Structure formats: C-alpha cells, structure tokens
Amino acid sequence: MKRWSWRSQAFRGLVYQVLAVALIGLLVWFLAHNTAHNMKLRGIQSGFDFLLEPAGFDIGESLFTFDAAQPYWRAFLTGLLNTLRVALIGVVLATVLGTLLGIGRFSRNALVRGLCSAYVELFRNVPVLLQLLMWYLLFTEILPASDAAWHIGPLYLSKGGLNFPIPVWAAGSGGFHLEFPIQGDYAIEHGGALTPEFLTVLLGLTIYTAAFIAEVVRAGIQSVSHGQAEAAAALGLSRRQTVRLVTMPQALRVIIPPLTNQYLNLTKNSSLAVAIGYPDVVSIANTALNQTGRAVECISIVMGVYLCTSLATSLLMNWYNARAAIREK
C-alpha cells in the first residue's frame, strides 16, 4: 500500500500527470465549444461534413486518378500522398548526400574538403524558400521547351519536367519491358514524367537539408576518439574500412538524435511547396478553405497530418536509435 501513499514520489507524479492531462483536455474542450458557439451565432457553418461533398476542382499531379466529382476527402488524401512522396524520397536523398558531404569534410584532399565546406556554408545559410524559387525559375525559364528537350541517355529534361523509362507489363509477351520516352512534335511522349513542381520541391529540400545533415555527420565523426582510427590503422584497415566498420557505427549514437530533427524539418518544410504550385496537403487545404469557408476544419486537418507524420518519424527513429546503440558490458 506504500506505493499508493501520498508519500510515494511515484504516486504523486502519477496524480500530477493525470491532473495535467485533465486540465489540458478541459481547456481544449472549452476552446472548441466556445469557437463552435461563436461561429453558430455568426451563421458560420462548421463541421467536417464537407469532406463528403464533391471537391469541384482538379489536381494537376497525383499518384492516383482524381477528378472534380470526387469528394474533398479524396482530395486531401491525394495531397497527403503528394506530401509523403516528396518527404520520403527527400529523406533518402538528403541522407545519402549529407553523409557523403559530412565524410568529405575529413578528406585528405584539400579540394574535396573545400568543396564540401563551401556547399554546407552556402546552402544552409540561404532560406529554403528562396532556394525553391531559384530551382523553379531554372526549371520553368532556363531549361528548353519540350520540343527541344535535353536528351541525356534515355532521359529528357525540359520545361515540362523530367521524362524517363518505366517498366510496363506486356500481357501478350508475358513479362515486363521498359517503355522509353520519345521526342514528339510538341511534347515528350510515353515513359514516365516528373513535373517541374515536384522536381523543384524535391531538389530544393534535398539540397537544403543535406547541408544540415552533413554537419550532423561531421559532429558525430568528431565525437569518436582518434585512437579508434589509429587502432584500425594498426590492424591494417584502409581509411574506407575504418569509416565503415569503426567510425560510423560509434558515431551513430551522436548522429541519430539530431538527424531525426532534420527529417522532421524536411517534412514540415514541404509545406512551402504551395509557393510554387505543387499540390501538397497545404495547397489542397487552401483550395478547400476558399471554396467551403471551413477554415478551422481545414487547418485542423493540416495540423493533424503534420503531427501524425512527425510522431511516426520520431517513433521510427527512436526504434532505430535503440537498435544502433552500442551496449556496453
């Protein structure tokens, strides 16, 4: 019974936590009730029933077919998938690029060290929105038109975006084959395509976030005792083997926590895609808000999306951090 006594620190902590949660819940209920009451007095419609109504607008880019007759919830789902597509691919590319840059900061080649340092200092000190606008200007103004696209192997790059080969199932010939893009009279035909808006967001967020990841990797490597590298050299390991087998496994303990923050920042920075017309969840919410007037509901959906994606990212990285931890005996 001692554990349920007020003298028990654990019991007091539990009571305080329950009271805090109850107080926060009461505050949220009061704000929601007061907001709904005031909106009703002013004749402002509220509620999420609009999600079942036809959206009435098209979405220029989506993983799945969407038309104006489909409901708003399908539009939000399309925007969510567009956001996740940028975030997931961006996280992978930024991690690879940032890791290479971070390791490059320790290269024996002065030119490599200088280029890596210049990259980090340039791209992390320029606001990401300006970088997005710069890349969008490159794709829409400087690149040639689709009828004069740059041809690089099987790839075509133009103001219309990037066209590339895609695997296609051939029912008659029994298997997959690659469908290559072909230069048409006015546009690139066949194959797959990435729009300038998608490329802008992906490239801008990847390059920007990679600069911060490079600094995280550099700090993690510096945290490893220099004696570890000397011991690896004494065993005959090359510098590449030392980094892969000795330095990086130990540096992960320092790298993973701040790396999680960079993943979260990349996902949240994807909301800036609305500035260049990429139809992410924020862009869809803005359109829905203007058409329905459900400002609180649309903003709540956007907040819920980013809250859930951030919590999922943190949960996954915490799990990976626990797996990567070095267990001392």
Side-chain angles (χ1 to χ4, degrees):
M1 296 297 297
K2 182 179 179 181
R3 54 186 299 186
W4 298 107
S5 172
W6 188 254
R7 295 182 179 181
S8 172
Q9 183 178 359
F11 177 73
R12 293 198 305 272
L14 178 61
V15 172
Y16 292 146
Q17 291 179 42
V18 171
L19 291 176
V21 171
L23 181 61
I24 294 174
L26 181 62
L27 179 61
V28 171
W29 174 85
F30 173 76
L31 292 175
H33 180 269
N34 192 48
T35 301
H37 179 69
N38 290 331
M39 292 175 66
K40 185 177 181 179
L41 290 178
R42 289 166 175 77
I44 301 175
Q45 291 183 333
S46 62
F48 291 91
D49 56 302
F50 76 97
L51 292 174
L52 301 178
E53 300 174 359
F57 60 88
D58 293 321
I59 298 178
E61 181 172 355
S62 62
L63 291 176
F64 304 100
T65 303
F66 179 85
D67 59 70
Q70 293 180 325
Y72 277 102
W73 71 264
R74 286 290 298 269
F76 277 100
L77 179 60
T78 300
L80 171 61
L81 293 177
N82 285 341
T83 296
L84 293 178
R85 181 166 63 138
V86 167
L88 293 177
I89 299 176
V91 161
V92 174
L93 296 180
T95 301
V96 174
L97 179 58
T99 301
L100 293 176
L101 290 168
I103 295 175
R105 298 288 296 272
F106 297 93
S107 174
R108 292 177 178 176
N109 188 308
L111 178 60
V112 173
R113 291 198 311 272
L115 290 176
C116 291
S117 300
Y119 176 100
V120 171
E121 296 303 325
L122 172 63
F123 287 105
R124 75 170 180 172
N125 289 306
V126 176
V128 62
L129 180 58
L130 293 181
Q131 295 190 38
L132 292 178
L133 295 176
M134 177 192 70
W135 290 115
Y136 190 61
L137 178 65
L138 170 66
F139 282 113
T140 57
E141 298 294 335
I142 299 178
L143 290 181
S146 298
D147 57 356
W150 291 346
H151 188 197
I152 309 171
L155 306 178
Y156 288 86
L157 183 62
S158 66
K159 291 181 179 179
L162 177 66
N163 298 80
F164 54 92
I166 58 172
V168 176
W169 172 257
S173 59
F176 286 96
H177 73 277
L178 285 179
E179 180 182 273
F180 288 87
I182 301 174
Q183 177 71 65
D185 294 334
Y186 303 102
I188 308 299
E189 302 173 353
H190 306 297
L194 298 177
T195 65
E197 291 77 17
F198 174 79
L199 291 174
T200 294
V201 179
L202 179 63
L203 191 60
L205 294 181
T206 296
I207 291 177
Y208 178 76
T209 308
F212 291 90
I213 292 179
E215 286 296 274
V216 171
V217 172
R218 181 186 64 82
I221 293 176
Q222 282 187 328
S223 69
V224 179
S225 172
H226 187 65
Q228 298 289 323
E230 294 176 343
L235 293 174
L237 298 180
S238 65
R239 282 179 58 85
R240 180 176 299 180
Q241 291 174 321
T242 299
V243 171
R244 182 170 60 89
L245 300 175
V246 179
T247 305
M248 288 304 294
Q250 298 182 66
L252 282 177
R253 293 180 295 178
V254 177
I255 291 175
I256 293 176
L259 185 63
T260 303
N261 291 333
Q262 298 308 320
Y263 290 166
L264 297 177
N265 288 337
L266 187 148
T267 303
K268 289 180 288 188
N269 284 336
S270 67
S271 61
L272 296 173
V274 67
I276 50 94
Y278 180 70
D280 69 330
V281 68
V282 175
S283 176
I284 300 301
N286 285 340
T287 303
L289 188 156
N290 291 330
Q291 293 190 173
T292 65
R294 307 290 179 90
V296 174
E297 291 81 358
C298 291
I299 294 174
S300 298
I301 292 174
V302 174
M303 291 175 61
V305 165
Y306 284 108
L307 177 62
C308 291
T309 54
S310 296
L311 291 177
T313 301
S314 299
L315 182 64
L316 179 62
M317 292 303 293
N318 287 338
W319 170 82
Y320 180 66
N321 189 30
R323 289 288 303 271
I326 297 177
R327 294 170 175 80
E328 300 179 357
K329 297 182 180 179

